[in-house]
Amino acid sequence: MERTIPYPSSLTKLAMREELSRGRRFSEPHHPYRTEYARDRDRIIHARAFRRLEAKTQVFTSRYSDHFRNRLTHTLEVTQIARTVSTALGLNSELAEALALVHDIGHPPFGHAGERKLNELMQSHGASFDHNLHALRIVEQFEHRYLEFTGLNLTFEVREGIIKHSRDYSPVACPDLAEYLLDLRPPLESQLIDWVDEIAYNTADLDDAREAELLDFDLLRAEVPLFAQAYSAVDRAHPAAREKLKFSEALKDVLNVLASDLIETTATRAKASGVNSVDEIRHHPHRLAGMSNGVAAENARLKQFLTANLYSNPVITEDRDRSIECLERLFHFYLSKHDSMPPDHEQSALAVPRHIVVCDYIAGMTDQFLLKQYRDHFGSAAMSTPTSA
Ligand code: MG
């Protein structure tokens, strides 16, 4: 059977094509059969920081169990949704794929709690920590793989997407990011990433919460109509089926509703806006990718449910808080004790303020590496196993 994409308002003319690219920081000859964005994708996958995502927390730390999402499997889920959505819209799926693969590469250990703690520690030195800005430094400075340049020498659009995929940065507050056109919108491929990220983690976290037996199923159905409707439909069609499978089918339907709405709404808004080129998207007063108001509200209810019932659950927070204490203590240890970091970091600290080098060193660690450093320097006092699992 021939498969056709059911969205006639394809946005092909709004795709970010490589011939429109602002190029790489250091020019390189074209590859004979890979596009520039495909090369970016491949460079990201071969980066050390990308491999380290495997041992970084998404929601559940690896001390809890080893079959929940980690930041690498989350990244792969975001990537496949980004490919699906961008392909359905006629956009550049290779650029969307590269942007999705790199979107969390700057995350420190222990998820958002780790990011908040590093930011707090840096603020006491008049600085800050932000995972998007850290990601940019990883791909520009910290990866060493190529003879001709430091970093991955990614195209402008991928570096721009690292900065702009989830938020806007003020040109006044961030003058050092001026080259990234902070007063303009990014291409649609980049605008989609934050939405597909949210679709991926809202559905996956629900799945992991059920697997961890932390889900109040009745409460979920009462508070999240989007899920309740999907489950009821599956239940009506398969009343005798195992609940676990009905749950999975319902979750799959929720993901489909969210992704389909993102596709349809983005197509409708782009068409209604009258934009005809990537340049016009850049100059449009607001971002065009997004969900409809109704589905965005449903999605927000799902997110609120997870915030109230999973992310704040003691099984998650107690383990996480112990780990964050280890991070904080290590930060102060490296900061105050010279020759406590590896030689290349100590060398950097001769030229760069020590708190910045310490922050970069810790941000690059996997969860397990950080906890091992903690044990090596302080013993295992704070490392007791979770009590409430
Ligand atoms: Mg993410």
Side-chain angles (χ1 to χ4, degrees):
M1 187 179 79
E2 188 180 346
R3 193 182 298 273
T4 53
I5 296 171
Y7 304 100
S9 52
S10 166
L11 306 184
T12 309
K13 68 183 176 187
L14 302 179
M16 181 64 221
R17 303 194 311 275
E18 63 171 344
E19 56 270 32
L20 301 175
S21 173
R22 283 172 166 76
R24 303 182 187 279
R25 205 175 280 291
F26 306 96
S27 67
E28 296 180 53
H30 292 297
H31 189 274
Y33 49 85
R34 284 185 302 163
T35 69
E36 297 304 324
Y37 298 132
R39 293 175 88 183
D40 284 354
R41 172 200 63 202
D42 299 348
R43 287 177 188 194
I44 292 159
I45 287 176
H46 286 96
R48 281 187 359 158
F50 183 78
R51 292 194 292 279
R52 289 200 299 266
L53 294 174
E54 189 253 342
K56 294 201 179 199
T57 294
Q58 181 65 21
V59 174
F60 292 90
T61 65
S62 55
R63 279 196 280 172
Y64 188 82
S65 166
D66 60 3
H67 65 263
F68 294 111
R69 271 78 172 178
N70 58 49
R71 210 158 275 282
L72 179 62
T73 65
H74 159 71
T75 293
L76 297 176
E77 293 183 358
V78 174
T79 303
Q80 58 97 352
I81 300 171
R83 281 194 65 93
T84 299
V85 171
S86 58
T87 301
L89 286 168
L91 297 172
N92 190 328
S93 60
E94 286 181 332
L95 173 58
E97 184 178 20
L99 291 167
L101 287 167
V102 83
H103 89 282
D104 269 353
I105 207 169
H107 254 292
F110 311 120
H112 290 286
E115 180 174 28
R116 277 193 300 274
K117 178 54 75 176
L118 274 180
N119 189 40
E120 178 192 315
L121 291 164
M122 289 297 274
Q123 282 183 345
S124 64
H125 294 273
S128 61
F129 178 82
D130 171 296
H131 80 268
N132 290 337
L133 302 181
H134 187 69
L136 190 63
R137 297 171 70 225
I138 287 172
V139 304
E140 289 269 82
Q141 300 172 32
F142 300 157
E143 289 286 329
H144 297 283
R145 298 183 56 80
Y146 303 100
L147 283 168
E148 305 285 338
F149 45 78
T150 300
L152 304 180
N153 198 28
L154 302 176
T155 58
F156 174 88
E157 291 71 31
V158 173
R159 286 179 284 127
E160 177 197 28
I162 288 173
I163 295 296
K164 294 184 181 171
H165 75 266
S166 59
R167 54 169 284 203
D168 293 317
Y169 289 80
S170 149
V172 178
C174 305
D176 51 328
L177 298 176
E179 69 174 300
Y180 295 110
L181 316 171
L182 295 184
D183 50 346
L184 301 183
R185 260 46 62 205
L188 284 175
E189 289 84 351
S190 184
Q191 294 186 27
L192 287 168
I193 297 300
D194 202 37
W195 291 99
V196 295
D197 186 22
E198 196 161 308
I199 292 171
Y201 68 67
N202 276 348
T203 50
D205 291 350
L206 212 48
D207 194 30
D208 282 352
R210 195 208 62 78
E211 188 76 26
E213 299 179 351
L214 296 178
L215 199 61
D216 183 332
F217 196 53
D218 293 335
L219 190 64
L220 170 65
R221 285 192 290 180
E223 294 195 352
V224 185
L226 180 64
F227 181 86
Q229 287 156 14
Y231 189 86
S232 295
V234 174
D235 197 34
R236 277 196 302 276
H238 305 278
R242 287 168 61 201
E243 189 179 301
K244 175 183 172 173
L245 299 181
K246 289 192 277 191
F247 178 92
S248 293
E249 290 286 344
L251 202 53
K252 183 192 75 178
D253 291 345
V254 168
L255 199 159
N256 259 324
V257 168
L258 297 174
S260 301
D261 185 77
L262 175 61
I263 293 165
E264 287 166 11
T265 308
T266 302
T268 304
R269 285 187 188 156
K271 205 172 176 187
S273 73
V275 295
N276 278 305
S277 66
V278 174
D279 202 47
E280 289 180 21
I281 288 170
R282 286 191 176 287
H283 286 89
H284 198 70
H286 52 80
R287 293 176 182 233
L288 291 165
M291 292 180 187
S292 63
N293 292 341
V295 172
E298 297 270 5
N299 187 43
R301 292 184 76 155
L302 171 53
K303 193 170 179 172
Q304 283 158 13
F305 176 86
L306 288 164
T307 302
N309 299 288
L310 177 65
Y311 305 144
S312 56
N313 190 298
V315 171
I316 305 286
T317 57
E318 287 173 10
D319 188 24
R320 182 190 68 201
D321 292 348
R322 271 193 302 274
S323 302
I324 293 298
E325 280 175 38
C326 298
L327 184 156
E328 182 170 14
R329 210 168 157 194
L330 272 176
F331 186 95
H332 294 303
F333 172 75
Y334 293 129
L335 190 65
S336 58
K337 193 170 180 343
H338 282 255
D339 292 328
S340 56
M341 292 186 289
D344 54 333
H345 289 80
E346 290 293 341
Q347 187 71 28
S348 299
L350 298 175
V352 177
R354 190 169 181 89
H355 61 274
I356 293 176
V357 180
V358 169
C359 182
D360 287 339
Y361 181 44
I362 289 180
M365 292 181 183
T366 63
D367 295 13
Q368 293 310 321
F369 183 80
L370 186 147
L371 295 175
K372 181 178 183 310
Q373 299 312 302
Y374 184 89
R375 285 194 297 272
D376 288 352
H377 294 300
F378 300 109
S380 55
M383 300 304 305
S384 55
T385 51
T387 52
S388 47

